[in-house]
Amino acid sequence: MVTIDAAFRRWAARTPDAVALRAPGTRLTYGELDRAATRLAGRLLRLGVRPRELVGVAATPSPGFVTAALAVLRAGCAYVPMDLGYPEERLAHMRRDSGVRVLVGAGDGEPLPAALADCVVLDPGAADSGGPDAEGAGHTGGPVAEVPSQGTADTDLAYAMYTSGSTGLPKAVLVEQRNVTAFALRQDFVALGPGRTMLQSSSFSFDASVLEIWGVLLRGACLVFPPDPLLAPAELGEVLAREGITDLWLSSGLFHRVADDLPEALAPLRTVITGGDVVSPPRVRRVLAAHPGLTVAHIYGPTETTVAVCRRLLTGPDQVESPLPLGTAIPGVRTYVRDGHGRPLPPGETGELWIAGDTVSRGYHDRPGLTAERYVTDPETGGRCYRSGDLAQLRPDGTVEFMGRADHQVKIRGFRIEPGEIEAALCEAPGVRTCLVTARTAPPGDRRVVAYVVPRAAGPLPAADVHRHLAARLPRHMLPAEYVALDALPLDANGKEDRRRLPEPVWGRGSLAVLDVRPSPARPAAQPERI
């Protein structure tokens, strides 16, 4: 496979005047983006970045992030998206764990969080007096000094992306350049290319952004940034029509919201891509019934296997099964269902989904034990596989059916979440003795995080206090939507925590709930909170 930069340069040479990125007040052609990335790469090299070094990039939803990520790759390094809105504790861990010493800032003049204060910061908007092209990183016209080749190989890292960790700390998935180009150039669920335009909708800390950035730029299409990253369905429809958007990624939660509130907002599209959690078949039918000719691409894939490995293309309501299968493997990917000993299972039997092919990433940063556990050699084929932790069945035609999680990991609004990470933070909250965290389906049909709390003492414990404790430590997408008080955690016959006996929350209270229970010494039954 080729490197990301080499694949991009093909389009910069072939269609230099085609628009690559659009945002309010900004328009960059492929040629302009190429020159801007070269200038920024030169500045990184003059700062002394080393080959294959991890370089932080402020993950702001703007063309500046794309330029910075391309520049980091062109300088022979790999990028680490750093969401500056994350809590200090999380950013500090990411900084220590990755060893990032250089950060490409957002260029907005805002001060850095204290957790990143010791980084060497490159302001992409500031003038550069250290090189021959001193016009500044924002300058895109005129000649530019070429960056010396860094000898980058397709087996070098492209990025390190942090995901939720079961130990209470996020872990970084190391994705190689060949993983990205294999996915971007071979995926066949959306026909990106010249004349196609995708709207940017995902967080750059989430791997759907790899589809939006590299899936677009390595195939000659255009990426458009909306005026506001949090669009209501009516506003989304206006932006899609005004900007001529042909393709859109929506996490399952956002897809459900649009399908419920204003499915006609998707009228301008040729393809809407959704996934990241269980997708509602009735909502897919509603969208397809409203828009003949639209394709809904239902995709599945862990971060460890580079965005997506399976797809199901739906063009009419009568094609929508319930539940939706994950689909068949994209080109270059192979899927297997194995038993607990790694032996193949025949179609119709449930086992763990193993994934092989060119999109399987390198492993976890500085986690050799976990890497060895999840990235394994297939005893049948001798190839390298990723054990997804998802339970699945295969149909005779290769279609994969999702049967649940082998562990308790869940996806909420497209973000993969380890309940153990939330539990670790929650158990440190004042007044909390112990807890369990899980995902529940709320009445509208969306999955939400629910925290079950056993208070340390009798008497009321405001959920708002607990929520504030978590908000200082966890990203917004990991914060519980509801809190339920228990006098004790429910246990099964073996004395293990029994999540199946956790009660249904009273929806709508959220952090306004008061966690107050009376001890029930007779048995460890779950009791809901009382206001």
Side-chain angles (χ1 to χ4, degrees), residues 1-2 154 156-157 159 174-184 210 304-306 357-363 384:
M1 297 301 297
V2 297
D154 64 356
D156 287 338
L157 285 185
Y159 59 84
L174 302 176
V175 179
E176 296 178 352
Q177 304 233 7
R178 60 179 176 174
N179 304 144
V180 176
T181 53
F183 165 73
V210 175
E304 290 85 347
T305 56
T306 320
D358 294 333
T359 64
V360 175
S361 64
R362 182 183 295 181
R384 190 163 179 267

Side-chain angles (χ1 to χ4, degrees), residues 253-395:
L254 290 175
F255 177 83
H256 292 165
R257 182 181 173 191
V258 174
D260 288 341
D261 295 349
L262 198 67
E264 53 267 33
L266 305 177
L269 297 174
R270 300 184 195 176
T271 306
V272 59
I273 308 141
T274 190
D277 201 350
V278 176
V279 175
S280 161
R283 288 168 167 124
V284 177
R285 293 190 192 101
R286 186 177 304 139
V287 167
L288 289 173
H291 302 295
L294 177 68
T295 296
V296 174
H298 176 224
I299 65 172
Y300 160 86
T303 300
E304 290 85 347
T305 56
T306 320
V307 188
V309 294
C310 292
R311 78 285 199 235
R312 185 77 162 183
L313 302 183
L314 305 161
T315 57
D318 58 337
Q319 296 178 331
V320 182
E321 302 176 55
S322 187
L324 279 175
L326 301 181
T328 53
I330 68 172
V333 172
R334 300 177 300 282
T335 54
Y336 309 102
V337 173
R338 303 293 197 214
D339 66 13
H341 301 285
R343 296 175 298 209
L345 291 173
E349 290 197 22
T350 299
E352 184 179 10
L353 182 63
W354 289 26
I355 301 164
D358 294 333
T359 64
V360 175
S361 64
R362 182 183 295 181
Y364 301 109
H365 177 62
D366 204 22
R367 304 283 181 93
L370 185 59
T371 297
E373 175 187 337
R374 307 306 299 180
Y375 294 78
V376 299
T377 300
D378 189 336
E380 293 293 317
T381 66
R384 190 163 179 267
C385 290
Y386 174 70
R387 296 181 55 180
S388 70
D390 286 328
L391 299 177
Q393 291 183 0
L394 280 179
R395 295 179 182 174

Side-chain angles (χ1 to χ4, degrees), residues 15-322:
T15 58
D17 297 326
V19 178
L21 305 173
R22 287 205 320 260
T26 302
R27 177 183 177 276
L28 282 178
T29 65
Y30 273 83
E32 290 169 338
L33 176 57
D34 183 46
R35 292 189 290 275
T38 295
R39 285 189 172 86
L40 197 53
R43 296 179 66 191
L44 283 166
L45 290 169
R46 288 192 289 278
L47 273 180
V49 296
R50 298 181 291 267
R52 301 170 185 82
E53 180 176 350
L54 293 177
V55 175
V57 179
T60 55
S62 71
F65 177 88
V66 179
T67 305
L70 182 58
V72 168
L73 297 173
R74 189 162 292 181
C77 302
Y79 66 93
V80 184
M82 308 285 279
D83 189 329
L84 304 188
Y86 277 175
E88 293 274 352
E89 187 174 313
R90 190 178 184 89
L91 282 174
H93 166 74
M94 292 169 63
R95 159 75 177 81
R96 289 191 306 269
D97 183 68
S98 64
V100 162
R101 64 183 187 90
V102 175
L103 173 73
V104 182
D108 55 7
E110 292 294 320
L112 278 182
L116 303 176
D118 60 343
C119 288
V120 177
V121 180
L122 174 59
D123 181 352
D128 176 26
S129 60
D133 52 307
E135 298 92 337
H139 181 78
T140 57
V144 58
E146 190 57 56
V147 172
S149 172
Q150 301 302 304
T152 304
D154 64 356
T155 53
D156 287 338
L157 285 185
Y159 59 84
M161 190 164 288
Y162 278 85
T163 67
S164 186
S166 58
T167 63
L169 293 172
K171 58 184 181 294
V173 178
L174 302 176
V175 179
E176 296 178 352
Q177 304 233 7
R178 60 179 176 174
N179 304 144
V180 176
T181 53
F183 165 73
L185 299 178
R186 292 176 179 171
Q187 69 79 14
D188 58 358
F189 52 82
V190 54
L192 294 171
R196 300 291 282 250
T197 303
M198 176 169 268
L199 186 71
Q200 186 273 330
S201 68
S202 71
S203 164
F204 286 146
S205 296
F206 175 40
D207 70 340
S209 64
V210 175
L211 167 64
E212 293 179 339
I213 299 172
W214 307 122
V216 166
L217 296 181
L218 303 193
R219 293 173 72 153
C222 176
L223 179 63
V224 174
F225 291 79
D228 185 336
L230 300 174
L231 295 175
E235 296 169 321
L236 174 65
E238 292 173 5
V239 171
L240 295 179
R242 183 176 69 246
E243 300 293 342
I245 305 299
T246 58
D247 307 288
L248 174 68
W249 154 264
L250 289 175
S251 67
S252 56
L254 290 175
F255 177 83
H256 292 165
R257 182 181 173 191
V258 174
D260 288 341
D261 295 349
L262 198 67
E264 53 267 33
L266 305 177
L269 297 174
R270 300 184 195 176
T271 306
V272 59
I273 308 141
T274 190
D277 201 350
V278 176
V279 175
S280 161
R283 288 168 167 124
V284 177
R285 293 190 192 101
R286 186 177 304 139
V287 167
L288 289 173
H291 302 295
L294 177 68
T295 296
V296 174
H298 176 224
I299 65 172
Y300 160 86
T303 300
E304 290 85 347
T305 56
T306 320
V307 188
V309 294
C310 292
R311 78 285 199 235
R312 185 77 162 183
L313 302 183
L314 305 161
T315 57
D318 58 337
Q319 296 178 331
V320 182
E321 302 176 55
S322 187

